[in-house]
Amino acid sequence: MTKIVFMGTPEFSVPILEGLVTAGYDIAAVVTQPDRAVGRKKKIIASPVKNKALELGISVLQPEKISGSQEMEEIAQLRPDLIVTAAFGQFLPEKLLQIPARGALNVHASLLPKYRGGAPVHYAIINGEDETGVSIMDMVKKMDAGSVYAQEAVSITREDDVGTMFTKLSYVGRDLLLKVLPQILAGSLLSVEQDEQQVTFAPNIKPEEEIIDWQKTAQEIDQKVRGMRPWPIAYTTYQGNRWKIWSVSVLEEKTEEKPGTIIRSTKGQLWVACGNQSVLAIEELQPSGKNKQEVTDFLNGAGKNVAVGQQVGQDEL
């Protein structure tokens, strides 16, 4: 029986771990990120993969940094045949990749060589792609640069966000991995080198990238809102306060107003002028220190002084 060390952290990784267990692979250990303090109350939360591993009775390792750690020595002592990673969240050192006899595979949420890096789904949506996908690839020293065994495309609809796409991709990735893994282990499926001329990158989202630029078109801002949801959430500012923007609609309207100008307040929508004379309707937002709420509730409460003609996105926070 093939002995595997599985490395993953978010919900995306869970179906893949479960699939390997159900298919009968011997999961010797699960490696995941340490428990983290989350939210305003700083509640300590374990990763979804840790919870699932404990439920399945699998031992868990949680290195703060895998390179040079005691946990890396423990992985070596397990003498795995294979390492499988799926959104682990740390760069794996070459010394670790050399431990398993059959190497290391990654389930990557993109159609490589496009979108190498830690935020491939975010950038696929932000850039308005019609599809993304999953790649089963060899892990090498260079980030996401290994040769690819198999890929499967998945459409991105206008309603999708990062959360819905990660759910779709996790199940597609699970099924694709389980389909090709026996062939990889048997040596009957060969990998294909990535075309370096076609490489694009999707690095982790920086805080300044969460800010909405109202000079962009309504369509581009819609893509950004969906590409930042449910984390980290795009935001704008209004009179010194931060509004996290959860839901918007692109309108078939034109305006001569300056981008960022509130041009209309209707039941359920706050219309804002965008670049190229386009108009976006904010439908759900989260003011600083408040819960997420529909615009109607916001305008009847904390936002009752918001008025047509005022500007959003003008403040430095």
Side-chain angles (χ1 to χ4, degrees), residues 180-197:
V180 301
L181 187 51
Q183 302 169 58
I184 294 172
L185 293 170
S188 60
L189 181 63
L190 301 180
S191 59
V192 177
E193 296 290 332
Q194 295 183 40
D195 182 352
E196 292 294 325
Q197 301 300 316

Side-chain angles (χ1 to χ4, degrees), residues 135-251:
S135 300
I136 309 299
M137 56 173 293
D138 261 329
M139 296 197 71
V140 296
K141 184 178 179 181
K142 188 177 178 182
M143 172 75 81
D144 298 333
S147 55
V148 175
Y149 286 100
Q151 292 183 319
E152 185 164 333
V154 178
S155 297
I156 301 174
T157 72
R158 296 303 96 186
E159 288 73 40
D160 276 319
D161 61 17
V162 173
T164 63
M165 286 309 302
F166 262 122
T167 299
K168 294 179 184 180
L169 293 169
S170 65
Y171 288 100
V172 172
R174 176 199 63 184
D175 293 345
L176 186 61
L177 175 67
L178 295 178
K179 177 182 176 182
V180 301
L181 187 51
Q183 302 169 58
I184 294 172
L185 293 170
S188 60
L189 181 63
L190 301 180
S191 59
V192 177
E193 296 290 332
Q194 295 183 40
D195 182 352
E196 292 294 325
Q197 301 300 316
Q198 301 299 319
V199 171
T200 62
F201 295 97
N204 292 333
I205 301 292
K206 299 176 181 175
E208 60 268 26
E209 292 174 300
E210 299 167 21
I211 303 170
I212 291 173
D213 177 2
W214 294 99
Q215 299 293 331
K216 300 285 189 181
T217 68
Q219 181 62 52
E220 290 170 326
I221 295 172
D222 170 69
Q223 290 162 193
K224 181 159 189 167
V225 168
R226 292 185 293 110
M228 295 276 182
R229 187 178 70 206
W231 78 92
I233 300 296
Y235 73 89
T236 191
T237 56
Y238 177 77
Q239 296 184 354
N241 294 307
R242 180 177 297 194
W243 293 356
K244 292 184 177 181
I245 306 299
W246 281 84
S247 179
V248 298
S249 290
V250 178
L251 301 179

Side-chain angles (χ1 to χ4, degrees), residues 14-212:
V14 173
I16 300 166
L17 170 62
E18 286 185 298
L20 290 168
V21 171
T22 302
Y25 292 98
D26 174 16
I27 308 300
V30 163
V31 188
T32 189
Q33 298 276 26
D35 300 354
R36 303 292 190 197
V38 175
R40 281 177 286 176
K41 294 183 179 179
K42 302 298 181 185
K43 185 178 179 181
I44 303 299
I45 300 293
S47 78
V49 166
K50 177 182 178 180
N51 290 331
K52 179 54 64 177
L54 295 176
E55 179 184 320
L56 295 170
I58 302 170
S59 63
V60 175
L61 303 175
Q62 295 182 275
E64 190 66 45
K65 183 180 178 183
I66 187 66
S67 182
S69 65
Q70 175 61 35
E71 287 84 354
M72 198 166 92
E73 295 300 320
E74 293 181 46
I75 294 171
Q77 292 170 11
L78 291 170
R79 301 172 67 86
D81 300 305
L82 185 71
I83 287 176
V84 174
T85 70
F88 172 55
Q90 294 185 32
F91 187 76
L92 303 193
E94 189 172 16
K95 187 176 179 181
L96 176 62
L97 298 178
Q98 293 173 346
I99 290 174
R102 309 302 298 270
L105 298 176
N106 181 34
V107 183
H108 192 261
S110 82
L111 296 173
L112 294 169
K114 295 186 73 172
Y115 297 120
R116 290 181 182 175
V121 178
H122 292 76
Y123 280 103
I125 297 173
I126 290 169
N127 291 341
E129 300 279 5
D130 292 325
E131 68 174 17
T132 182
V134 290
S135 300
I136 309 299
M137 56 173 293
D138 261 329
M139 296 197 71
V140 296
K141 184 178 179 181
K142 188 177 178 182
M143 172 75 81
D144 298 333
S147 55
V148 175
Y149 286 100
Q151 292 183 319
E152 185 164 333
V154 178
S155 297
I156 301 174
T157 72
R158 296 303 96 186
E159 288 73 40
D160 276 319
D161 61 17
V162 173
T164 63
M165 286 309 302
F166 262 122
T167 299
K168 294 179 184 180
L169 293 169
S170 65
Y171 288 100
V172 172
R174 176 199 63 184
D175 293 345
L176 186 61
L177 175 67
L178 295 178
K179 177 182 176 182
V180 301
L181 187 51
Q183 302 169 58
I184 294 172
L185 293 170
S188 60
L189 181 63
L190 301 180
S191 59
V192 177
E193 296 290 332
Q194 295 183 40
D195 182 352
E196 292 294 325
Q197 301 300 316
Q198 301 299 319
V199 171
T200 62
F201 295 97
N204 292 333
I205 301 292
K206 299 176 181 175
E208 60 268 26
E209 292 174 300
E210 299 167 21
I211 303 170
I212 291 173

